[in-house]
Amino acid sequence: MNKYTIIFVSLLSFTLTVYGNNDLAHTAISLVPRPSQLAPGNGDYVFSAQTVFAVENKEQAEVANELIGQFTRSARFTPGLKVGGKKGDIRFVTDASLKDEAYSLNVSSNEILIKAADCRGFFYALQTIRQLLPPAIENSNVTDEDVDWKIPAVAITDEPRFSYRGLMLDVARFFMPKENLLRIIDCMAMLKINKLHFHLTDDNGWRIEIKKYPRLTEIGAWRADRTDVPFPLRRNARPGEPTPIGGFYTQEDIKEIVAYAAKHQIEVIPEIEMPAHCTAALASYPQFACPVVNKFISVLPGMGEDNGGMVFCAGNDSVFTFFRDVIDEVAALFPSRYIHLGGDEAAKAYWKKCPLCQARIKKEHLAHEEELQSYFMNRVAGYVRSKGKEIIGWDELTNSKLPEGAIICGWRGFGQAALKAAAQGHLFIMTPARVMYLIRYQGPQWFEPQTYFGNITLKDVYEYEPIQQDWKPEYASLLMGIQASMWTEFCDKPSDVEYQLFPRLAALAEVAWVQPEQKDWPLFLKALDNYTAHLEKKRVIFARSMYNIQHTVTPEKGVLRVRLECIRPDVEIRYTVDGSEPTETSMLYTHPLTVKDSRTINCATFGAGRQLGKTLALPVKWNKATAKPILGDKPNERVLTNGIRGSRKHTDFEWCGWPENDSVTFTIDLQKEEKMKAVTIGCITNYGMSIHKPGSVSITVSNDNEHFVSAKEINFTPEEIFREGSYVDDLLINLEEEVSARYVRVTTKGAGCCPAQHVHPGQNTRFYFDEIIIE
Ligand code: ACM
Ligand code: ZN
């Protein structure tokens, strides 16, 4: 779980880092990613109908036409274009001494000179110009806006840190319509991101037309409608149930997407998952499952209940024929050098039971099912290589013998498993789930739409440094770059995806492009504001979570300390303690507040005289346990007596969970003898995540912290524990009689495993409490 480590700094106390002649700090020039070198000039260059682009050849003309087209759409003029001539206002000049993707850009009031070694460099120079232009350049129609089509004079030289700057987009769990996808590609290009890892197949949908296997998209692209409940709660389809949810890209669509991406200097890398994450394919062609699978296979609307863990049969040769055929069509559609073969999270239960898989293990002299996966991946990888392509795979490929030349995407935890591949000389890409999985919450969870796990804020992405000090030097040279991964379990419409992507994708771009010593958080935010102004004109949805306040309320010697933090240092936090709405004249937050009684703190961020983030209302409710210590002072347990209730998200930092989940004991020290009649425990149920009430809670009390006597024990029935939904329950424990004691001990036993009819049968339950209320 990521911790906020943000220090609030007022608007006036910025310290801006200025280095070399890169004097971004004192100009209105705001670019993301930040260029390597930048020197502001005098005056502006003004674009008009008289502006002429002079390019050397047809390829450069195509690049120039991208920006010219934007003027045609948004301004009342179209700049001219001359191919082959030297005369013009915006001149492209090839400079073979520059590196791949690098460019130099010299803007003066009468001309613009761009140098690059290749079209990629010219394209990125124009993306820089695009960001320097007024955001109205993104308009799709000419408007009545009075726009000065000018950019400031400046000299820029620029080149990327990494050659692989990627976004993985999961279009299997949520099918992204083509038009929306193209718009995202354009927004990636503005950030100089150059790889789209296209996750086309998974349990929840097969999204690419394969002519030889039409059922993949007739059946595999469609699933039952469960949009009324969150992904983890979704039940499987029944046989014969309509399957209205989904979609797929025809081969013509794929060609259009690839061509559009190529114009934006983006390589589209297709991912075809194997041997797992394949339920959509198996729903279409059940003969490719192990013959021991004897239940109805449907495209999964959610996690699959007892149908999770499906795999292709590794003992059936027709499975490998299927993959050869699929790879033939995929390789012909995607010009990329790479095909991603997945390889993650392959459960081995069916392979263990399957006679064909076991026969394969014997015949190939494999030690176990993990080696069978290696056999599977190597066999398909060999075919991919025979077609002149290279393979990429998830980091589980390092569990056994790696396919020759395989490039590894490090994803689990901080992606460390990829280093096992690096140690064997393999190239790798970092997309660690702990920092680069944009499915996670991007801000204080009280304000965020439901998703999974903990927080990855804009700042967390921005601060990511892939190259670690303890790496062997050769690892750094094998690191191709980094990638953000956007899994779409919780997305039901394109704007849900955009909200999770933006603005964090801009932070990814900054990490991927800019040298670490040149990063500067306040300057990045300023540039980001300019980028999001462009997004706004394109009507792309982006989150404003970076303006919201994260609270931390901690018991401390009988009072509560309330910290309010915002990841943006250029805002003020204003608050009230009398229940009124905060305004720009409310009290300014400068240091943690002390609270000694029940009251509501309302707070919000402000800047330039207006409210920027959402209002956070923090009702503190005092009881006999509030602000009292829990013996042992474990950090996770501090929230239990902090007077603040949790939201309906168990990862919002107000809920306490325990690793030793089956049995937990903690003792509250009330500091003096107190009379009490009841103990109430705030408890959350999130059925889809197997978070349930405990099986039992017992309360014992003591005056000396040695001899405890029972005050009450309560037990919950399976019906009470496994009631479906997502809700907060108060477990009211009326004591047998009023007691007087200083120490109150809570002992909780877990509820064991989820029962057979549960959406996750057999999975261990967990319990979470937010507050202990003693009255
Ligand atoms: C993954 O997140 N299963 C690659
Ligand atoms: Zn099998």
Side-chain angles (χ1 to χ4, degrees), residues 323-618:
F323 277 117
R324 286 171 77 108
D325 295 338
V326 169
I327 300 277
D328 282 345
E329 294 192 32
V330 168
L333 285 167
F334 292 89
S336 170
R337 276 167 66 187
Y338 310 111
I339 297 183
H340 195 302
L341 298 183
D344 57 319
E345 299 182 308
K348 308 291 187 308
Y350 288 114
W351 285 359
K352 283 194 166 89
K353 288 188 285 192
C354 169
L356 300 182
C357 287
Q358 291 305 314
R360 177 84 74 198
I361 286 179
K362 213 163 156 197
K363 178 159 172 251
E364 300 292 334
H365 308 293
L366 306 172
H368 39 58
E369 287 73 23
E370 203 57 58
E371 284 194 3
L372 183 58
Q373 175 163 354
S374 173
Y375 166 86
F376 195 116
M377 305 305 302
N378 272 281
R379 189 161 162 183
V380 182
Y383 188 65
V384 172
R385 273 200 310 279
S386 77
K387 298 189 76 76
K389 305 248 182 196
E390 295 174 42
I391 77 136
I392 307 183
W394 295 110
D395 67 34
E396 284 90 337
L397 264 57
T398 63
N399 291 351
S400 191
K401 185 170 166 285
L402 279 162
E404 190 186 321
I407 297 164
I408 296 301
C409 283
W411 75 274
R412 287 175 292 172
F414 287 100
Q416 303 92 317
L419 301 180
K420 276 167 68 185
Q424 299 169 51
H426 288 252
L427 293 167
F428 66 107
I429 297 153
M430 277 300 198
T431 181
R434 294 286 290 269
V435 232
M436 287 284 140
Y437 270 30
L438 303 188
I439 186 174
R440 297 189 178 199
Y441 293 101
Q442 59 188 308
Q445 294 183 19
W446 291 28
F447 305 108
E448 294 297 324
Q450 178 89 48
T451 173
Y452 271 147
F453 309 125
N455 288 21
I456 296 177
T457 65
L458 177 73
K459 194 161 189 253
D460 294 326
V461 176
Y462 180 84
E463 287 181 344
Y464 176 53
E465 171 47 47
I467 298 179
Q468 297 297 304
Q469 290 197 330
D470 59 356
W471 281 17
K472 293 190 179 151
E474 61 269 28
Y475 293 174
S477 55
L478 291 165
L479 176 65
M480 293 167 69
I482 61 166
Q483 171 172 293
S485 290
M486 181 61 222
W487 302 102
T488 53
E489 281 93 322
F490 291 86
C491 299
D492 292 321
K493 48 189 187 312
S495 58
D496 294 345
V497 180
E498 290 174 4
Y499 179 88
Q500 293 296 114
L501 281 180
F502 300 109
R504 286 183 293 182
L505 202 59
L508 172 280
E510 193 84 358
V511 183
W513 184 277
V514 179
Q515 295 297 334
E517 63 279 6
Q518 291 197 327
K519 281 165 64 187
D520 181 307
W521 174 238
L523 284 186
F524 165 72
L525 290 172
K526 193 164 161 250
L528 182 70
D529 292 344
N530 181 45
Y531 175 66
T532 54
H534 283 253
L535 293 184
E536 236 167 335
K537 289 288 183 194
K538 286 179 71 67
R539 298 181 196 282
V540 170
I541 300 296
F542 62 93
R544 293 177 54 84
S545 317
M546 59 186 157
Y547 290 108
N548 291 338
I549 295 172
Q550 178 69 49
H551 63 275
T552 314
V553 182
T554 316
E556 220 178 276
K557 299 196 177 102
V559 300
L560 297 174
R561 293 266 182 256
V562 179
R563 282 172 71 89
L564 305 175
E565 297 169 303
C566 173
I567 60 171
R568 283 199 72 127
D570 55 344
V571 300
E572 296 176 338
I573 296 179
R574 301 268 173 182
Y575 69 97
T576 66
V577 292
D578 60 1
S580 61
E581 275 295 305
T583 67
E584 73 271 21
T585 57
S586 299
M587 285 178 289
L588 177 69
Y589 176 89
T590 54
H591 55 269
L593 312 176
T594 301
V595 174
K596 298 178 180 164
D597 54 12
S598 292
R599 61 175 59 243
T600 295
I601 297 163
N602 287 318
C603 51
T605 53
F606 292 85
R610 63 189 179 95
Q611 184 167 340
L612 298 168
K614 295 197 171 149
T615 300
L616 171 66
L618 272 185

Side-chain angles (χ1 to χ4, degrees), residues 287-332:
Q287 64 268 35
F288 297 144
C290 289
V292 288
V293 176
N294 55 9
K295 49 193 162 193
F296 170 64
I297 307 175
S298 66
V299 180
L300 300 180
M303 290 165 125
E305 301 186 76
D306 58 352
N307 251 13
M310 285 281 172
V311 278
F312 282 100
C313 182
N316 177 351
D317 280 327
S318 63
V319 167
F320 295 97
T321 309
F322 166 77
F323 277 117
R324 286 171 77 108
D325 295 338
V326 169
I327 300 277
D328 282 345
E329 294 192 32
V330 168

Side-chain angles (χ1 to χ4, degrees), residues 118-168:
D118 55 34
C119 277
R120 287 183 281 275
F122 289 113
F123 180 79
Y124 292 139
L126 293 197
Q127 293 307 306
T128 294
I129 291 176
R130 178 182 180 183
Q131 276 196 33
L132 293 174
L133 280 162
I137 190 69
E138 309 300 338
N139 285 344
S140 50
N141 293 305
V142 175
T143 67
D144 290 339
E145 276 176 88
D146 193 12
V147 183
D148 265 346
W149 297 107
K150 64 181 189 191
I151 62 173
V154 67
I156 290 175
T157 55
D158 201 8
E159 65 182 49
R161 179 181 183 197
F162 293 116
S163 63
Y164 189 109
R165 306 178 298 279
L167 167 67
M168 188 232 55

